[in-house]
């Protein structure tokens, strides 16, 4: 691949390329941007700030060697960019152990740098309603990097690959499946910011820990904007579950989680959304206990504002469940109840009691999650 092909491939993916040249005509650097649609124009980033392999010497070396980037699947308009966001969220969660007590600063730096690349790409491909918060989170997270530490290892490569896939998947609209997938990846990023803050605090890095907490606050704000509608739909659906279904999902939680975590989770207002998710997964052949075990085993659940919400998005991603449908109207609820009464009188069989629906959940009442 030469410079002309490099520029063509970037243009095909919607990436703007700027080339700095010396008076002699030799290339001295590259810069990159994504169209934002704002009057102020695109925000440019030098290759050296985005990633070590986007510096002028590294890019020129790849041209000389003919080294190409890994190929990604052809985007499917029915599932992209949601699939890219779901896969990136899984990659982020796999990187949490980089901040265990026995890990060194080089691995932590690798994940922080990779997280920045994912966050920058997510901001560039997200709808306007959350873009500002994502940019602010990225600026805060930049201050958490470890000075004089070279980032190396598989964590950085995995996160960088996730960022490239987000870019390849293209912009999201923020509606439907995209909104649910955004809530999923933002949940993972919030928890990443939290583990970074905890790691820096343990190292005595007070300013870096504070910056990570600031990043988490901005990410929570972006999460709330994307999660409000789908979590409200799921909450109502969960409260409409027959009592037998509701109790069965609660029993699965008690069997899977430690007693204190299960008690806290079942007392949450977001528990209804998780119950609906487990019931949907069970209806298409999944085992709720297995899903809960896998989702809860991915760490950092205890630090979340709402463990129920974290588990809801992880399980929906793992079980490949569709976007929550809009909540039923009052007329539809009355029709359901009437049909249930008619069926009961006709068959003479008891109908499981239904948990009464609450008043509609307002978006600003949705509990934010880490």
């Amino acid at each position: 691949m030469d410079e002309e092909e490099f520029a063509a491939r970037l243009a095909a993916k919607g990436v703007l390329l700027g080339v700095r040249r010396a008076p002699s005509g030799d290339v001295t650097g590259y810069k990159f941007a994504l169209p934002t649609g704002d009057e102020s124009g695109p925000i440019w980033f030098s290759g050296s700030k985005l990633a070590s392999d986007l510096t002028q010497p590294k890019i020129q070396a790849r041209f000389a060697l003919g080294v190409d980037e890994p190929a990604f699947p052809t985007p499917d308009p029915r599932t992209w960019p949601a699939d890219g966001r779901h896969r990136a969220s899984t990659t982020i969660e796999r990187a949490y152990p980089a901040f265990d007590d026995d890990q060194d600063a080089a691995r932590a730096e690798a994940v922080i740098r990779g997280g920045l690349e994912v966050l920058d790409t997510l901001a560039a491909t997200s709808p306007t309603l959350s873009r500002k918060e994502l940019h602010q989170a990225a600026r805060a997270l930049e201050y958490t990097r470890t000075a004089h530490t070279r980032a190396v290892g598989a964590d950085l490569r995995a996160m960088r690959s996730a960022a490239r896939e987000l870019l390849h998947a293209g912009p999201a609209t923020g509606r439907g499946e995209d909104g649910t997938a955004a809530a999923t990846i933002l949940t993972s990023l919030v928890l990443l910011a939290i583990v970074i803050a905890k790691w820096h605090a343990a190292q005595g890095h007070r300013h870096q820990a504070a910056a990570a907490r600031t990043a988490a606050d901005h990410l929570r704000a972006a999460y709330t904007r994307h999660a409000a509608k789908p979590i409200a739909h799921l909450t109502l659906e969960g409260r409409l579950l027959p009592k037998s279904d509701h109790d069965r999902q609660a029993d699965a939680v008690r069997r899977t989680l430690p007693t204190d975590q299960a008690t806290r989770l079942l007392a949450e207002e977001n528990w209804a959304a998780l119950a609906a998710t487990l019931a949907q997964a069970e209806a298409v052949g999944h085992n709720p206990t297995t899903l809960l075990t896998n989702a809860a085993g991915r760490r950092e659940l205890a630090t979340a504002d709402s463990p129920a919400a974290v588990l809801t998005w992880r399980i929906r991603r793992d079980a490949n469940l569709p976007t929550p449908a809009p909540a039923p109207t009052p007329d539809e609820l009355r029709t359901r109840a009437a049909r249930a009464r008619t069926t009961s009188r006709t068959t003479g069989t008891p109908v499981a009691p239904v948990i009464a629906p609450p008043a509609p959940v307002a978006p600003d009442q949705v509990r934010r999650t880490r």
Side-chain angles (χ1 to χ4, degrees):
M1 181 171 61
D2 56 17
E3 185 174 293
E4 182 178 353
E5 183 180 356
F6 180 54
R9 289 193 181 191
L10 289 174
K13 296 178 180 179
V15 181
L16 305 176
L17 173 67
V19 182
R20 294 192 302 274
R21 297 184 184 275
S24 63
D26 294 334
V27 175
T28 60
Y30 295 94
K31 60 181 181 179
F32 305 86
L34 287 173
T36 62
D38 298 335
E39 294 181 359
S40 58
I43 301 174
W44 291 91
F45 296 91
S46 66
S48 60
K49 289 185 178 180
L50 289 175
S52 61
D53 60 354
L54 291 178
T55 60
Q56 184 268 344
K58 292 290 183 66
I59 291 175
Q60 292 289 327
R62 286 205 298 272
F63 291 161
L65 295 173
V67 178
D68 205 351
E69 295 293 339
F72 293 109
T74 301
D76 183 340
R78 296 170 299 177
T79 58
W80 240 259
D83 283 354
R85 280 156 169 70
H86 282 147
R87 279 192 286 271
S89 70
T90 300
T91 299
I92 293 165
E93 290 168 10
R94 288 172 178 164
Y96 295 159
F99 299 94
D100 287 347
D101 293 339
D102 59 346
Q103 297 301 319
D104 59 20
R107 189 178 180 194
E109 171 67 7
V111 174
I112 292 170
R113 284 193 56 178
L116 277 166
E117 293 187 27
V118 169
L119 190 49
D120 283 334
T121 307
L122 184 65
T125 57
S126 290
T128 306
L129 86 159
S130 60
R131 193 178 299 152
K132 179 180 178 181
E133 296 287 359
L134 294 176
H135 281 307
Q136 290 174 328
R139 284 198 292 269
L141 202 64
E142 181 70 37
Y143 289 103
T144 70
R145 293 184 57 183
T146 55
H148 311 301
T149 301
R150 179 178 176 82
V152 295
D155 293 305
L156 178 58
R157 291 193 295 272
M159 298 280 269
R160 186 166 289 165
S161 179
R164 288 169 180 158
E165 185 171 7
L166 287 175
L167 186 63
H168 180 74
T173 63
R175 298 188 297 270
E177 193 68 38
D178 289 348
T180 301
T184 304
I185 190 173
L186 285 168
T187 297
S188 301
L189 284 167
V190 169
L191 293 175
L192 177 63
I194 293 302
V195 296
I196 291 172
K198 289 169 57 181
W199 184 83
H200 274 301
Q203 303 296 315
H205 305 156
R206 182 165 55 89
H207 296 296
Q208 290 94 328
R213 288 191 289 268
T214 298
D217 288 340
H218 288 299
L219 290 166
R220 287 191 197 97
Y223 164 83
T224 300
R225 293 191 176 99
H226 285 283
K229 287 184 178 179
I231 205 79
H233 297 161
L234 285 168
T235 296
L236 183 54
E237 183 172 341
R239 289 171 175 167
L240 289 171
L241 282 175
K243 188 174 184 303
S244 58
D245 291 350
H246 185 277
D247 291 345
R248 188 168 63 256
Q249 308 312 332
D251 287 341
V253 169
R254 294 188 186 97
R255 289 194 305 270
T256 305
L257 300 180
T259 301
D260 57 337
Q261 290 187 25
T263 300
R264 176 189 172 191
L265 189 150
L266 294 173
E268 283 192 46
E269 65 180 87
N270 287 328
W271 155 240
L274 177 57
T277 293
L278 291 170
Q280 290 175 11
E282 186 179 42
V284 295
H286 292 281
N287 184 311
T289 301
T290 301
L291 290 172
L292 282 165
T293 299
N294 292 336
R298 291 198 178 94
R299 305 169 57 90
E300 298 311 314
L301 190 64
T303 64
D305 288 332
S306 172
V310 173
L311 290 174
T312 294
W313 303 125
R314 287 179 179 178
I315 288 171
R316 297 194 74 82
R317 175 195 64 200
D318 296 347
N320 196 28
L321 296 176
T323 298
T329 65
D331 287 343
E332 290 172 335
L333 292 175
R334 284 192 289 270
T335 300
R336 287 186 189 180
R339 287 176 177 170
R341 289 193 297 269
T342 300
T343 301
S344 178
R345 288 194 299 267
T346 301
T347 63
T349 57
V351 177
V354 174
I355 299 174
V361 180
D364 60 358
Q365 293 175 334
V366 176
R367 180 174 296 176
R368 297 179 300 176
T369 182
R370 290 180 182 174

